[in-house]
Amino acid sequence: MRNHSGVKMRVIAGSARRLLLKTMDGLDTRPTTDRIKETLFNMLQPSIPDCMFSGSGAIGIEALSRGASLAVLVENNPKAVECIRENLSRTKLEDRAVVMGNDVISSLRKLEGKNYVFDIIFMDPPYNKGWEQQVLTYLSGSPMADENTTIVIEAAKETDFGWLTAAGYDLIRSKEYKTNKHVFVAKGEKHE
C-alpha cells in the first residue's frame, strides 16, 4: 500500500473517504500527496461532473468519490492499469469509470465520436517530455473539450507554458508546490 517513498495513498473525501489505494513500487508513477490533492479539489469545487484523467488513477478516483458522474482514466503502463482497476474495485467506484490502457493520443482518438464533452481534464504526464503540448494541440480541434472545460496539467515546476496562447488556450491559474505545479487552462477567452 505504499509507493516508492513509503507514503500511503488514500481517498481523502467523499463516498470512498479514508480507503487506502494500492500503489505501484518504483519510480514509474508519482502519486499526488494528500495535501496537494486537497488543494487541487478545493480549486475545482463545487462540482466535478464528467472528467477525464491520466496518471496513477488516484485523482480520478478522488473525483469519483466526490461525486463525479464519470471518470475516464488513461494510462499506458499495464501494471498501473491493473492497479487502477484494483483501486476502483476496492472503492466500489468502477461502475462510473472507464479505464483505457493506451497512450493518451490513442485514447483520445478512440473517444472521438462518442459524444464526450468533459467538464474537467486532468493531465499528469511524465515531466519534461512535451506531452502537455501534444495533448492540448489535439484537444484544440476536438469537441471533447470546449470553452467550459477546465484543463488541469500537473507539471514540473520549471515547465514553460509560454506557448499556450499561440495554441488557442488561456492560462486561468497556476499553483506551485515544492517541485511541481498545477496549471489551469481553458480554450479561448474563459476567465474567472
Side-chain angles (χ1 to χ4, degrees), residues 57-73:
I59 300 291
I61 289 169
E62 186 72 34
L64 289 168
S65 179
R66 290 173 181 245
S69 57
L70 169 73
V72 176
L73 300 128

Side-chain angles (χ1 to χ4, degrees), residues 33-127:
T33 66
D34 286 354
R35 192 183 86 216
I36 292 174
K37 204 182 320 181
E38 186 66 34
T39 299
L40 172 65
F41 279 93
N42 285 341
M43 290 188 277
L44 291 174
Q45 292 293 358
S47 64
I48 307 167
D50 293 340
C51 315
M52 180 177 191
F53 297 91
S54 60
S56 69
I59 300 291
I61 289 169
E62 186 72 34
L64 289 168
S65 179
R66 290 173 181 245
S69 57
L70 169 73
V72 176
L73 300 128
V74 177
E75 174 54 53
N76 199 30
N77 181 320
K79 289 182 181 179
V81 169
E82 182 181 324
C83 187
I84 291 167
R85 291 186 193 283
E86 287 179 37
N87 285 328
L88 285 166
S89 177
R90 177 178 305 203
T91 56
K92 297 180 178 29
L93 296 169
E94 65 267 30
D95 62 326
R96 291 184 283 139
V98 175
V99 180
M100 302 185 76
N102 305 306
D103 69 84
V104 67
I105 300 299
S106 297
S107 295
L108 289 171
R109 287 185 182 127
K110 287 181 179 185
L111 291 170
E112 287 291 351
K114 296 190 180 197
N115 297 320
Y116 286 118
V117 180
F118 295 104
D119 299 292
I120 299 168
I121 296 175
F122 179 82
M123 293 189 289
D124 183 9
Y127 291 171

Side-chain angles (χ1 to χ4, degrees), residues 144-183:
M144 288 185 286
D146 63 19
E147 66 280 354
N148 295 311
T149 301
T150 299
I151 301 170
V152 183
I153 305 157
E154 185 169 315
K157 195 173 183 177
E158 69 276 2
T159 303
D160 178 28
F161 285 91
W163 49 267
L164 281 173
T165 302
Y169 292 90
D170 290 333
L171 175 65
I172 305 301
R173 168 191 300 173
S174 183
K175 172 71 174 163
E176 289 191 1
Y177 308 101
K178 284 183 182 179
T179 60
N180 63 350
K181 62 185 172 183
H182 284 132
V183 178

